[in-house]
Coordinates of all heavy atoms in Angstrom, one line a residue:
R1 N 120.4 102.4 99.4 CA 119.4 103.0 98.5 C 118.0 102.8 99.1 O 117.6 101.8 99.5 CB 119.6 102.4 97.1 CG 118.5 102.6 96.2 CD 118.8 102.0 94.9 NE 117.8 101.1 94.5 CZ 117.6 100.7 93.3 NH1 118.5 100.9 92.4 NH2 116.6 99.9 93.0
A2 N 117.3 103.9 99.2 CA 116.0 103.8 99.7 C 115.0 103.3 98.7 O 115.0 103.7 97.6 CB 115.5 105.3 100.2
T3 N 114.1 102.4 99.2 CA 113.1 101.9 98.3 C 111.8 102.6 98.5 O 111.4 102.8 99.7 CB 112.9 100.4 98.5 OG1 112.5 100.1 99.9 CG2 114.2 99.6 98.2
P4 N 111.1 103.0 97.5 CA 109.9 103.7 97.7 C 108.8 102.7 98.2 O 108.8 101.5 98.0 CB 109.5 104.1 96.3 CG 110.2 103.2 95.4 CD 111.5 102.8 96.1
E5 N 107.9 103.3 99.0 CA 106.9 102.5 99.6 C 105.8 102.2 98.5 O 105.3 103.1 97.9 CB 106.2 103.1 100.8 CG 107.0 103.0 102.0 CD 106.2 103.4 103.3 OE1 105.1 103.0 103.4 OE2 106.8 104.1 104.2
V6 N 105.6 100.9 98.4 CA 104.5 100.5 97.5 C 103.3 100.1 98.2 O 103.4 99.2 99.1 CB 105.0 99.4 96.6 CG1 103.9 98.9 95.6 CG2 106.2 99.8 95.7
I7 N 102.2 100.7 97.9 CA 100.9 100.3 98.7 C 100.3 99.2 97.8 O 99.9 99.4 96.7 CB 100.1 101.5 98.8 CG1 100.8 102.5 99.7 CG2 98.8 101.1 99.5 CD1 100.0 103.8 99.8
V8 N 100.1 98.1 98.4 CA 99.4 97.0 97.7 C 98.0 96.8 98.3 O 97.9 96.7 99.5 CB 100.2 95.6 97.9 CG1 99.5 94.5 97.3 CG2 101.7 95.7 97.4
P9 N 97.0 97.0 97.5 CA 95.6 96.9 98.1 C 95.4 95.5 98.6 O 95.9 94.5 98.1 CB 94.7 97.1 96.8 CG 95.6 97.7 95.7 CD 97.1 97.2 96.1
N10 N 94.6 95.5 99.7 CA 94.2 94.2 100.3 C 93.2 93.5 99.4 O 92.4 94.2 98.7 CB 93.6 94.5 101.6 CG 94.6 95.0 102.7 OD1 95.8 94.7 102.6 ND2 94.1 95.7 103.6
K11 N 93.3 92.2 99.3 CA 92.4 91.5 98.5 C 90.9 91.7 98.9 O 90.1 92.0 98.1 CB 92.8 90.0 98.5 CG 94.1 89.7 97.8 CD 93.8 89.5 96.3 CE 95.1 89.1 95.7 NZ 95.0 89.1 94.3
E12 N 90.7 91.5 100.2 CA 89.3 91.6 100.6 C 89.3 92.2 102.0 O 89.4 91.4 103.0 CB 88.7 90.1 100.6 CG 88.6 89.5 99.3 CD 87.2 89.1 98.9 OE1 86.3 89.2 99.7 OE2 87.0 88.6 97.8
V13 N 89.1 93.4 102.1 CA 89.0 94.1 103.3 C 87.6 93.9 103.8 O 87.4 93.7 105.0 CB 89.4 95.7 103.2 CG1 89.2 96.3 104.5 CG2 90.8 95.8 102.8
Y14 N 86.7 94.0 102.9 CA 85.3 93.9 103.3 C 84.7 92.7 102.5 O 85.1 92.4 101.4 CB 84.5 95.1 102.8 CG 85.0 96.4 103.5 CD1 85.7 97.3 102.8 CD2 84.6 96.7 104.8 CE1 86.2 98.5 103.3 CE2 85.1 97.9 105.4 CZ 85.9 98.8 104.6 OH 86.4 99.9 105.2
N15 N 83.7 92.0 103.1 CA 83.0 90.9 102.4 C 82.0 91.6 101.4 O 81.8 92.7 101.4 CB 82.4 89.9 103.3 CG 81.3 90.5 104.1 OD1 80.5 91.3 103.7 ND2 81.1 90.0 105.3
L16 N 81.5 90.7 100.5 CA 80.6 91.2 99.5 C 79.4 92.0 100.0 O 79.0 93.0 99.5 CB 80.1 90.1 98.6 CG 79.2 90.4 97.4 CD1 80.0 91.3 96.4 CD2 78.7 89.2 96.7
K17 N 78.8 91.4 101.0 CA 77.6 92.2 101.6 C 78.0 93.5 102.2 O 77.2 94.5 102.0 CB 77.1 91.2 102.8 CG 75.8 91.7 103.4 CD 75.3 90.7 104.4 CE 74.0 91.1 105.0 NZ 73.5 90.2 106.0
D18 N 79.1 93.6 102.8 CA 79.6 94.9 103.2 C 79.9 95.9 102.1 O 79.6 97.1 102.2 CB 80.9 94.8 104.1 CG 80.6 94.1 105.4 OD1 79.4 94.0 105.9 OD2 81.6 93.6 106.0
R19 N 80.5 95.4 101.1 CA 80.8 96.3 99.8 C 79.6 96.7 99.2 O 79.5 97.9 98.8 CB 81.7 95.5 98.9 CG 83.1 95.2 99.5 CD 84.0 94.7 98.4 NE 83.6 93.5 97.6 CZ 83.9 92.3 97.9 NH1 84.5 91.9 99.0 NH2 83.5 91.3 97.2
I20 N 78.5 95.9 99.1 CA 77.2 96.4 98.6 C 76.6 97.4 99.5 O 76.1 98.4 99.0 CB 76.3 95.2 98.4 CG1 76.8 94.3 97.3 CG2 74.8 95.7 98.1 CD1 76.0 93.0 97.1
A21 N 76.7 97.2 100.8 CA 76.2 98.3 101.7 C 76.9 99.6 101.6 O 76.3 100.7 101.6 CB 76.3 97.8 103.2
I22 N 78.2 99.5 101.4 CA 79.1 100.7 101.2 C 78.6 101.4 99.9 O 78.4 102.6 99.9 CB 80.6 100.4 101.2 CG1 81.1 99.9 102.6 CG2 81.4 101.5 100.6 CD1 82.4 99.3 102.6
A23 N 78.5 100.6 98.9 CA 78.0 101.2 97.6 C 76.7 101.9 97.7 O 76.5 103.0 97.2 CB 78.0 100.2 96.5
L24 N 75.7 101.2 98.4 CA 74.4 101.9 98.6 C 74.5 103.1 99.4 O 73.7 104.1 99.1 CB 73.5 100.8 99.2 CG 73.0 99.7 98.2 CD1 72.3 98.6 99.0 CD2 72.3 100.2 97.1
D25 N 75.4 103.2 100.4 CA 75.5 104.4 101.2 C 76.1 105.6 100.3 O 75.6 106.7 100.4 CB 76.5 104.2 102.3 CG 75.9 103.4 103.5 OD1 74.7 103.2 103.5 OD2 76.7 102.9 104.3
I26 N 77.0 105.3 99.4 CA 77.5 106.3 98.5 C 76.4 106.8 97.6 O 76.2 108.0 97.4 CB 78.8 105.8 97.7 CG1 79.9 105.4 98.6 CG2 79.1 106.8 96.6 CD1 81.0 104.7 97.9
I27 N 75.7 105.8 97.0 CA 74.6 106.2 96.1 C 73.5 107.0 96.8 O 73.0 108.0 96.3 CB 74.0 104.9 95.5 CG1 75.0 104.3 94.5 CG2 72.7 105.3 94.7 CD1 74.6 102.8 94.1
K28 N 73.2 106.6 98.1 CA 72.2 107.4 98.8 C 72.7 108.8 99.0 O 71.9 109.8 99.0 CB 71.9 106.7 100.2 CG 70.9 107.4 101.0 CD 70.6 106.6 102.3 CE 69.6 107.2 103.1 NZ 69.4 106.5 104.4
E29 N 74.0 109.0 99.3 CA 74.5 110.3 99.6 C 74.6 111.2 98.4 O 74.3 112.3 98.4 CB 75.9 110.1 100.3 CG 76.6 111.4 100.7 CD 77.9 111.2 101.2 OE1 78.2 110.2 101.9 OE2 78.8 112.0 101.0
K30 N 75.1 110.6 97.3 CA 75.4 111.4 96.1 C 74.3 111.2 95.0 O 74.3 112.0 94.1 CB 76.7 111.0 95.5 CG 77.9 111.4 96.3 CD 79.2 110.9 95.7 CE 79.5 111.5 94.4 NZ 80.8 111.1 93.8
G31 N 73.5 110.2 95.0 CA 72.6 109.9 94.0 C 73.1 109.0 92.9 O 72.4 108.4 92.1
F32 N 74.4 108.8 92.9 CA 75.1 107.9 92.0 C 76.5 107.6 92.6 O 76.9 108.2 93.6 CB 75.3 108.5 90.6 CG 76.2 109.7 90.6 CD1 77.5 109.6 90.3 CD2 75.6 111.0 90.8 CE1 78.3 110.8 90.3 CE2 76.4 112.2 90.8 CZ 77.8 112.0 90.6
M33 N 77.2 106.6 91.9 CA 78.5 106.3 92.4 C 79.5 106.1 91.2 O 79.0 105.4 90.2 CB 78.4 105.0 93.2 CG 79.8 104.5 93.7 SD 79.6 102.9 94.6 CE 79.1 101.8 93.3
T34 N 80.7 106.6 91.3 CA 81.6 106.4 90.2 C 82.6 105.2 90.7 O 82.6 104.8 91.9 CB 82.5 107.7 90.0 OG1 83.3 107.9 91.2 CG2 81.6 108.8 89.6
L35 N 83.3 104.8 89.7 CA 84.3 103.7 90.0 C 85.3 104.2 91.1 O 85.7 103.5 92.0 CB 85.0 103.3 88.8 CG 86.1 102.1 88.9 CD1 85.5 100.9 89.6 CD2 86.7 101.8 87.6
T36 N 85.7 105.5 91.0 CA 86.7 106.0 91.9 C 86.1 106.1 93.3 O 86.8 105.7 94.3 CB 87.2 107.4 91.4 OG1 87.7 107.4 90.1 CG2 88.1 108.1 92.4
D37 N 84.9 106.4 93.4 CA 84.2 106.4 94.7 C 84.2 105.0 95.4 O 84.7 104.9 96.5 CB 82.7 106.8 94.6 CG 82.5 108.3 94.2 OD1 83.3 109.1 94.5 OD2 81.5 108.5 93.6
Y38 N 83.9 104.0 94.6 CA 83.8 102.7 95.1 C 85.3 102.2 95.4 O 85.5 101.5 96.4 CB 83.2 101.8 94.0 CG 82.9 100.4 94.5 CD1 81.9 100.0 95.4 CD2 83.7 99.3 94.0 CE1 81.7 98.8 95.8 CE2 83.5 98.0 94.4 CZ 82.4 97.8 95.3 OH 82.2 96.5 95.8
T39 N 86.2 102.5 94.5 CA 87.6 102.1 94.7 C 88.1 102.6 96.1 O 88.7 101.8 96.8 CB 88.5 102.6 93.6 OG1 88.0 102.1 92.4 CG2 89.9 102.2 93.8
F40 N 88.0 103.8 96.4 CA 88.5 104.4 97.7 C 87.7 103.9 98.8 O 88.3 103.6 99.9 CB 88.5 105.9 97.6 CG 89.6 106.5 96.8 CD1 89.3 107.2 95.7 CD2 90.9 106.2 97.1 CE1 90.4 107.7 94.9 CE2 91.9 106.8 96.3 CZ 91.7 107.6 95.2
A41 N 86.4 103.8 98.7 CA 85.6 103.4 99.8 C 85.8 101.9 100.3 O 85.7 101.6 101.4 CB 84.1 103.6 99.6
T42 N 86.1 101.1 99.3 CA 86.3 99.6 99.6 C 87.7 99.2 99.6 O 88.1 98.0 99.9 CB 85.6 98.8 98.5 OG1 86.1 99.1 97.2 CG2 84.1 99.0 98.5
K43 N 88.6 100.2 99.4 CA 90.1 99.9 99.5 C 90.6 98.8 98.5 O 91.3 98.0 98.9 CB 90.5 99.6 100.9 CG 90.1 100.8 101.8 CD 90.5 100.4 103.3 CE 90.1 101.7 104.1 NZ 90.0 101.4 105.5
Q44 N 90.1 98.9 97.3 CA 90.4 98.0 96.3 C 91.2 98.7 95.2 O 91.1 99.9 95.0 CB 89.2 97.3 95.6 CG 88.4 96.5 96.6 CD 87.3 95.8 95.8 OE1 87.5 95.0 95.0 NE2 86.1 96.1 96.2
S45 N 91.9 97.9 94.3 CA 92.4 98.5 93.1 C 91.3 98.8 92.1 O 90.1 98.3 92.3 CB 93.4 97.5 92.4 OG 92.7 96.4 91.9
R46 N 91.6 99.7 91.1 CA 90.5 100.1 90.1 C 90.0 98.8 89.4 O 88.8 98.7 89.2 CB 91.0 101.1 89.2 CG 91.0 102.5 89.7 CD 91.4 103.5 88.7 NE 90.5 103.7 87.6 CZ 89.4 104.5 87.7 NH1 89.1 105.1 88.8 NH2 88.6 104.6 86.6
S47 N 90.9 98.0 89.0 CA 90.5 96.8 88.2 C 89.7 95.8 89.1 O 88.7 95.3 88.7 CB 91.7 96.1 87.6 OG 92.6 95.7 88.6
G48 N 90.2 95.7 90.3 CA 89.4 94.8 91.3 C 88.0 95.3 91.6 O 87.1 94.6 91.6
A49 N 87.9 96.7 91.7 CA 86.7 97.3 92.0 C 85.8 97.2 90.8 O 84.5 96.9 90.9 CB 86.9 98.8 92.4
S50 N 86.3 97.4 89.6 CA 85.5 97.3 88.4 C 85.0 95.9 88.2 O 83.8 95.7 87.9 CB 86.4 97.6 87.2 OG 85.7 97.5 86.0
N51 N 85.8 94.8 88.4 CA 85.3 93.5 88.3 C 84.3 93.2 89.4 O 83.4 92.5 89.1 CB 86.5 92.5 88.5 CG 87.4 92.5 87.2 OD1 87.0 92.8 86.1 ND2 88.7 92.2 87.4
D52 N 84.5 93.7 90.6 CA 83.6 93.5 91.6 C 82.2 94.1 91.3 O 81.2 93.4 91.4 CB 84.1 94.2 92.9 CG 83.5 93.7 94.2 OD1 83.1 92.5 94.2 OD2 83.4 94.4 95.2
L53 N 82.2 95.3 90.7 CA 80.9 95.9 90.4 C 80.2 95.2 89.2 O 79.0 95.1 89.2 CB 81.1 97.4 90.0 CG 81.4 98.3 91.2 CD1 81.9 99.7 90.8 CD2 80.1 98.4 92.0
K54 N 81.0 94.6 88.3 CA 80.4 93.8 87.2 C 79.7 92.6 87.8 O 78.6 92.3 87.4 CB 81.5 93.3 86.3 CG 82.1 94.4 85.4 CD 83.1 93.8 84.5 CE 84.0 94.9 83.8 NZ 85.2 94.4 83.1
K55 N 80.3 91.9 88.8 CA 79.7 90.8 89.4 C 78.4 91.2 90.1 O 77.4 90.5 90.1 CB 80.7 90.1 90.3 CG 81.8 89.4 89.6 CD 82.8 88.8 90.6 CE 84.0 88.3 89.9 NZ 85.1 87.9 90.9
I56 N 78.5 92.3 90.9 CA 77.4 92.7 91.6 C 76.2 93.1 90.8 O 75.0 92.6 91.0 CB 77.7 94.0 92.5 CG1 78.7 93.5 93.6 CG2 76.5 94.6 93.2 CD1 79.4 94.7 94.4
V57 N 76.4 93.8 89.7 CA 75.4 94.3 88.8 C 74.8 93.0 88.0 O 73.6 93.0 87.7 CB 75.9 95.3 87.8 CG1 74.9 95.6 86.7 CG2 76.2 96.6 88.6
A58 N 75.6 92.1 87.7 CA 75.1 90.9 87.0 C 74.1 90.0 87.8 O 73.4 89.3 87.2 CB 76.3 90.0 86.5
S59 N 74.2 90.2 89.1 CA 73.3 89.3 89.9 C 71.9 89.8 89.8 O 71.6 91.0 89.8 CB 73.7 89.5 91.4 OG 72.8 88.8 92.2
P60 N 70.9 88.9 89.5 CA 69.5 89.4 89.3 C 68.9 90.0 90.5 O 68.0 90.9 90.3 CB 68.8 88.1 88.9 CG 69.7 86.9 89.1 CD 71.1 87.5 89.3
D61 N 69.3 89.7 91.7 CA 68.7 90.3 92.9 C 69.6 91.4 93.4 O 69.4 91.9 94.6 CB 68.5 89.3 94.0 CG 69.8 88.6 94.4 OD1 70.8 88.6 93.6 OD2 69.8 87.9 95.4
S62 N 70.5 92.0 92.6 CA 71.3 93.1 93.0 C 70.5 94.4 93.1 O 69.7 94.7 92.3 CB 72.4 93.3 92.0 OG 73.1 94.5 92.3
P63 N 70.8 95.2 94.2 CA 70.1 96.5 94.3 C 70.7 97.6 93.5 O 70.3 98.7 93.6 CB 70.2 96.8 95.8 CG 71.4 96.1 96.2 CD 71.6 94.9 95.3
I64 N 71.8 97.3 92.8 CA 72.6 98.3 92.1 C 72.5 98.0 90.6 O 72.6 96.9 90.1 CB 74.0 98.3 92.6 CG1 74.1 98.6 94.1 CG2 74.9 99.3 91.8 CD1 75.4 98.4 94.7
A65 N 72.4 99.1 89.8 CA 72.4 99.0 88.3 C 73.5 100.0 87.8 O 73.8 101.0 88.4 CB 71.1 99.4 87.8
A66 N 74.0 99.6 86.6 CA 75.0 100.5 85.9 C 74.3 101.3 84.9 O 73.3 100.9 84.3 CB 76.1 99.6 85.3
Q67 N 74.8 102.5 84.7 CA 74.3 103.4 83.7 C 75.4 104.1 83.0 O 76.4 104.6 83.7 CB 73.3 104.4 84.4 CG 72.6 105.3 83.5 CD 71.6 106.2 84.2 OE1 71.7 106.4 85.4 NE2 70.6 106.6 83.5
G68 N 75.3 104.3 81.7 CA 76.4 104.9 80.9 C 77.4 103.8 80.5 O 77.2 102.7 80.6
S69 N 78.5 104.4 80.0 CA 79.6 103.5 79.5 C 81.0 104.1 79.6 O 81.1 105.4 79.6 CB 79.3 103.0 78.1 OG 79.3 104.1 77.2
H70 N 82.0 103.4 79.6 CA 83.4 103.8 79.6 C 83.6 104.8 80.8 O 83.2 104.5 81.9 CB 83.8 104.4 78.2 CG 83.5 103.3 77.2 ND1 84.2 102.2 77.0 CD2 82.6 103.3 76.2 CE1 83.8 101.6 75.9 NE2 82.8 102.2 75.4
S71 N 84.2 105.9 80.4 CA 84.5 106.9 81.5 C 83.3 107.6 82.1 O 83.4 108.3 83.0 CB 85.5 107.9 81.0 OG 85.0 108.7 79.9
H72 N 82.2 107.4 81.4 CA 80.9 108.1 81.8 C 80.0 107.1 82.6 O 78.9 107.4 82.8 CB 80.2 108.7 80.7 CG 81.0 109.7 79.9 ND1 81.2 110.9 80.4 CD2 81.7 109.6 78.7 CE1 81.9 111.6 79.6 NE2 82.2 110.8 78.6
K73 N 80.5 106.0 83.0 CA 79.7 105.0 83.7 C 79.6 105.3 85.2 O 80.5 105.7 85.8 CB 80.4 103.6 83.6 CG 79.5 102.5 84.0 CD 80.1 101.2 83.6 CE 79.1 100.1 83.4 NZ 79.6 98.9 82.9
V74 N 78.3 105.2 85.6 CA 78.0 105.4 87.1 C 77.1 104.3 87.5 O 76.5 103.6 86.7 CB 77.4 106.8 87.3 CG1 78.3 107.9 87.0 CG2 76.1 106.9 86.6
W75 N 77.0 104.1 88.8 CA 76.2 103.1 89.4 C 75.1 103.8 90.2 O 75.4 104.7 90.9 CB 77.0 102.1 90.2 CG 77.8 101.2 89.3 CD1 77.5 100.0 88.9 CD2 79.1 101.5 88.7 NE1 78.5 99.5 88.1 CE2 79.5 100.4 88.0 CE3 79.9 102.6 88.8 CZ2 80.7 100.4 87.2 CZ3 81.1 102.6 88.0 CH2 81.5 101.5 87.3
I76 N 73.9 103.3 90.0 CA 72.7 103.8 90.7 C 72.0 102.7 91.4 O 72.2 101.6 91.2 CB 71.8 104.6 89.7 CG1 71.4 103.7 88.6 CG2 72.5 105.8 89.1 CD1 70.3 104.2 87.6
K77 N 71.0 103.2 92.2 CA 70.1 102.2 92.9 C 69.1 101.7 91.8 O 68.5 102.5 91.2 CB 69.4 102.8 94.1 CG 68.7 101.8 94.9 CD 68.3 102.4 96.2 CE 67.5 101.2 97.0 NZ 67.0 101.6 98.2
K78 N 68.9 100.4 91.8 CA 68.0 99.8 90.8 C 66.6 100.1 91.2 O 66.2 100.2 92.4 CB 68.2 98.3 90.8 CG 67.7 97.6 89.6 CD 67.9 96.1 89.7 CE 69.2 95.7 89.3 NZ 69.4 94.2 89.2
D79 N 65.7 100.4 90.2 CA 64.3 100.5 90.5 C 63.7 99.2 91.0 O 64.2 98.2 90.8 CB 63.6 100.8 89.2 CG 63.9 102.2 88.6 OD1 64.4 103.1 89.4 OD2 63.8 102.4 87.4
K80 N 62.7 99.4 91.8 CA 62.1 98.3 92.4 C 61.5 97.3 91.4 O 61.4 96.1 91.6 CB 61.0 98.6 93.4 CG 61.6 99.3 94.6 CD 60.5 99.6 95.7 CE 61.2 100.2 96.9 NZ 60.3 100.3 98.0
K81 N 61.1 97.8 90.2 CA 60.6 97.1 89.1 C 61.7 96.2 88.4 O 61.4 95.2 87.8 CB 60.0 98.0 88.0 CG 58.8 98.8 88.5 CD 58.4 99.7 87.4 CE 57.2 100.7 87.9 NZ 56.9 101.6 87.0
G82 N 62.9 96.6 88.6 CA 64.0 95.8 88.0 C 64.9 96.7 87.3 O 65.9 96.7 86.9

């Protein structure tokens, strides 16, 4: 019996600094970033990407801010004022 191929996301393909740079590149290109954009770009699962973004945004010196909620949540570049 043939077994279907299961793709298991890698735990950490990129380090945190690289993932932030990838996110900023997406935001620069589109003006905002969705969870799906970040998931595919960083090769993480949706839940892993979501948790990662929560940690990034919670950092006071993060260049990224969240806007909206639930399915309408996007990430943008933080204003220089904070």
